[in-house]
Amino acid sequence: MDWGKVIYVFFSLMSLTSIAGFLYEHSAVALFVAGSLNLVSTFLKIGVRNLLSAELLASSLVADLHLIPAFIYLEVVGNLEWAIALTIGALIANLFSMGLVYIESSKNRDEY
């Protein structure tokens, strides 16, 4: 078992579920937690050399670049609609990332 992969998938899933929590209950704390978890997930993906590592890092960066402005729009500007729209973009990027993780896992299983 690759514990590095377990940890970054854990943080990716935690970010994904925190985003879903924000979309259900529009709380600045939930959005901050989702952004923080996604940043940790991004930092863990830096330096990983797997089959789809570039795509995983890119999708995580896309989610970061949606969650950070979403938090700013929610707290500084006070625009909930823009914050929700940006968060939905981050949700799509994280779903794409999880799809890549599943594809990579199936490719690795075929090699054994």
Side-chain angles (χ1 to χ4, degrees):
M1 182 178 302
D2 184 7
W3 287 103
K5 188 174 181 179
V6 169
I7 291 171
Y8 82 72
V9 169
F10 169 78
F11 278 103
S12 295
L13 283 172
M14 286 295 294
S15 174
L16 183 64
T17 56
S18 298
I19 290 170
F22 169 75
L23 291 174
Y24 179 75
E25 178 80 31
H26 307 300
S27 165
V29 173
L31 186 56
F32 181 78
V33 167
S36 300
L37 289 169
N38 205 74
L39 282 171
V40 170
S41 174
T42 301
F43 290 133
L44 290 173
K45 290 176 186 174
I46 293 174
V48 173
R49 296 189 181 265
N50 291 340
L51 182 64
L52 299 172
S53 59
E55 292 82 0
L56 285 167
L57 181 61
S59 64
S60 191
L61 288 171
V62 167
D64 288 336
L65 293 177
H66 278 80
L67 290 173
I68 294 168
F71 185 74
I72 292 170
Y73 267 98
L74 183 63
E75 286 301 301
V76 177
V77 179
N79 193 337
L80 180 63
E81 290 81 21
W82 271 97
I84 291 173
L86 288 167
T87 305
I88 290 171
L91 179 72
I92 292 169
N94 275 341
L95 287 172
F96 177 76
S97 177
M98 293 314 301
L100 289 176
V101 167
Y102 295 141
I103 290 169
E104 185 180 29
S105 295
S106 68
K107 294 285 185 185
N108 288 340
R109 286 204 192 335
D110 292 340
E111 292 173 2
Y112 293 122

